[in-house]
Amino acid sequence: MNATRNTALEAWMREHGYSSNSLADAVNKALEQLTGRTGGLDGSSVRDWKAGRVRWPKAATRRALEAVTGMPPTVLGFVPRGRAPSTPAAPQEDLDMKRRNLIGGFAVAATAAAAPGTTGPRRIGMSDVGRLQQRFAEVIASDHRYGGQLGIEQRAAALADEALNLQNAGSATQRVRSSLYGCAASFRSSAMWAAIDGRRYGDAKAHMREAQALAEMSGDQAIKFRIWSHAGAMYRHVGRPGEAFAANDVARNLHITRRDPTFASLGLARQAAIHGAAQDRMGTHRALDQAQDALQRVDPHGFRPVWLLAFYDQAELDSLALSAFLTLGDYPTAEFHAHRCLAALRPHMRRSHAITTTRLAHAQLAQGDFEAAADTAMKVPTDAATQHPRVSRMLQEFGAALRARAPRSSAAQSWTEHTRHVWKATT
């Protein structure tokens, strides 16, 4: 039987300016984000899709395609196994197909008009969005390595402006414009988090207001969740649990938390940390139990945004539990979660490793285990101890508490000598 060409995919590629090679590259990157392994697609793979020789790609490839295009595989013209390709489409589906083909024809004309040597406007497409999303992934990676740095905040804010400038750089579909607003909101939310992590709370609030407006224009539920969840964390850090609860509730009440238990689990875990800050022991335990239940329901193969994939897992849940029990004064339970977090943290989570190690030292110190606490605190890498504002502040508090509780102990002497060498090495 002769293969039937996938005209829907071809139309989508024309509309968004993708060649076979560039679409293969984009899907490979999405596969790497989803699975941790680089995809092996090339231009011939995409040409097989267009020619209809491959009617239903593998499951991971389908998820990556949906991540790139924002459309389910069936809308892109792929046919599940066992379904006859000649099945007559419903009238509305016929109209939709004609509309996509017509749009594709307009896109070709627009691309030709924008070619070098002509005066037509540039066509902005999903390939431009894809490039911005790749840079967003780089910002996320920098945050997990260094965290809280002014340079990360400034870079993210500049990229948000770059995404907005593309809105005026040429013509685009509504979907592309919404995606650009989503990119801008994502970058602003990263600038917001870098400012929170760096204890620059005034700047964080300014980024938050702009991020919230951009997220509304994008209609992206995932980025709305991120912004409001960050707002809850910010208010928790400044000691305003009432506002922290209110902001986190906005995130938790979004529809995405009912569709995806990963979002539900993160919202509940952060709720537990706020309960801890509010000295609500029962609320802390209840929220953590619910967060754990939700995490166990997560589909490991489901699609999630890169920022969520990069950090939320069992280790992060334990990190938030550690924060909650530390503020509650339940130091043995805090230490338990600290050890479990450190055992499960992924290698790229250097910032989280430093924060968790510092909190573990505080939990050990509070239990009177001075030698172990000092030994733990001295394991915090020098760059984090001196350059990450939150870590530096927590280590200063650790040293003051150690000297207050055991001023003549060998642990206090070791810590004083260690800090002298650390600061000397950085000056």
Side-chain angles (χ1 to χ4, degrees):
M1 183 177 63
N2 292 331
T4 303
R5 291 196 68 81
N6 188 337
T7 55
L9 178 64
E10 289 178 320
W12 185 90
M13 291 174 62
R14 286 196 302 268
E15 179 184 356
H16 296 90
Y18 276 97
S19 66
S20 294
N21 288 332
S22 63
L23 181 57
D25 289 342
V27 175
N28 282 335
K29 290 175 182 175
L31 276 166
E32 184 172 11
Q33 292 173 2
L34 287 167
T35 67
R37 299 185 298 274
T38 304
L41 301 170
D42 56 20
S44 65
S45 306
V46 178
R47 286 189 286 275
D48 285 341
W49 297 344
K50 292 193 296 182
R53 289 187 290 271
V54 174
R55 294 168 45 209
W56 193 239
K58 294 179 180 179
T61 303
R62 297 197 304 272
R63 291 197 301 274
L65 261 171
E66 187 166 355
V68 171
T69 65
M71 303 172 74
T74 51
V75 175
L76 290 170
F78 292 103
V79 182
R81 291 184 180 88
R83 183 183 301 176
S86 59
T87 301
Q92 183 60 48
E93 292 174 336
D94 285 339
L95 290 174
D96 289 345
M97 180 66 77
K98 290 177 181 178
R99 177 182 60 79
R100 287 195 294 272
N101 288 339
L102 183 60
I103 290 173
F106 286 149
V108 171
T111 302
T118 70
T119 59
R122 178 189 170 193
R123 181 73 170 178
I124 310 301
M126 289 304 292
S127 57
D128 298 287
V129 173
R131 282 188 287 273
L132 286 170
Q133 290 172 337
Q134 180 59 38
R135 298 177 78 177
F136 179 55
E138 294 166 2
V139 169
I140 295 294
S142 295
D143 176 66
H144 288 302
R145 281 198 303 271
Y146 309 113
Q149 301 301 309
L150 181 61
I152 297 174
E153 177 189 347
Q154 292 172 335
R155 182 185 177 207
L159 286 167
D161 292 339
E162 184 177 323
L164 287 177
N165 288 338
L166 269 179
Q167 294 280 5
N168 300 316
S171 61
T173 64
Q174 182 57 46
R175 177 173 170 272
V176 169
R177 294 201 181 280
S178 295
S179 297
L180 289 174
Y181 282 125
C183 287
S186 298
F187 286 125
R188 276 291 167 190
S189 68
S190 283
M192 173 189 174
W193 180 248
I196 293 169
D197 211 21
R199 304 178 66 87
R200 297 181 295 276
Y201 297 119
D203 294 336
K205 290 177 183 177
H207 291 306
M208 177 184 71
R209 288 190 288 270
E210 187 158 354
Q212 287 167 340
L214 291 167
E216 287 300 320
M217 288 188 281
S218 75
D220 186 331
Q221 288 255 315
I223 202 59
K224 287 182 186 180
F225 178 96
R226 187 182 196 224
I227 293 162
W228 282 105
S229 187
H230 280 174
M234 177 182 69
Y235 289 123
R236 171 168 59 89
H237 286 310
V238 299
R240 291 154 64 177
E243 289 169 87
F245 278 124
N248 199 54
D249 281 344
V250 175
R252 291 178 57 229
N253 288 327
L254 291 167
H255 293 303
I256 198 167
T257 63
R258 291 187 284 279
R259 295 199 307 266
D260 189 334
T262 316
F263 287 90
S265 180
L266 175 56
L268 285 160
R270 284 181 168 163
Q271 192 85 341
I274 301 169
H275 279 300
Q279 296 300 299
D280 180 355
R281 191 175 301 272
M282 185 177 296
T284 298
H285 282 280
R286 182 176 58 250
L288 282 173
D289 287 344
Q290 292 172 340
Q292 191 69 62
D293 288 344
L295 189 60
Q296 290 171 350
R297 298 195 307 270
V298 170
D299 176 5
H301 303 297
F303 172 74
R304 285 166 200 94
V306 63
W307 61 264
L308 188 61
L309 283 171
F311 89 102
Y312 191 64
D313 53 14
Q314 183 64 56
E316 179 64 17
L317 198 161
D318 281 308
S319 174
L320 289 163
L322 161 62
S323 175
F325 288 115
L326 200 58
T327 53
L328 280 172
D330 185 347
Y331 302 116
T333 306
E335 182 175 1
F336 166 78
H337 284 287
H339 286 298
R340 199 162 77 161
C341 174
L342 289 171
L345 272 173
R346 288 172 277 175
H348 73 275
M349 303 288 284
R350 291 172 54 185
R351 162 195 161 277
S352 294
H353 196 283
I355 291 173
T356 302
T357 303
T358 306
R359 285 175 172 162
L360 171 59
H362 274 274
Q364 291 170 328
L365 175 61
Q367 296 175 80
D369 198 349
F370 305 133
E371 296 293 339
D375 183 63
T376 297
M378 286 188 283
K379 292 177 181 176
V380 177
T382 299
D383 58 347
T386 58
Q387 298 174 28
H388 190 290
R390 281 174 62 195
V391 175
S392 296
R393 175 70 175 270
M394 286 192 292
L395 287 175
Q396 290 168 10
E397 293 169 347
F398 171 83
L402 177 60
R403 286 187 290 271
R405 295 193 59 180
R408 294 180 177 83
S409 66
S410 60
Q413 294 172 4
S414 296
W415 177 249
T416 299
E417 186 68 20
H418 172 77
T419 54
R420 184 182 297 120
H421 284 302
V422 165
W423 286 104
K424 184 177 180 180
T426 59
T427 58

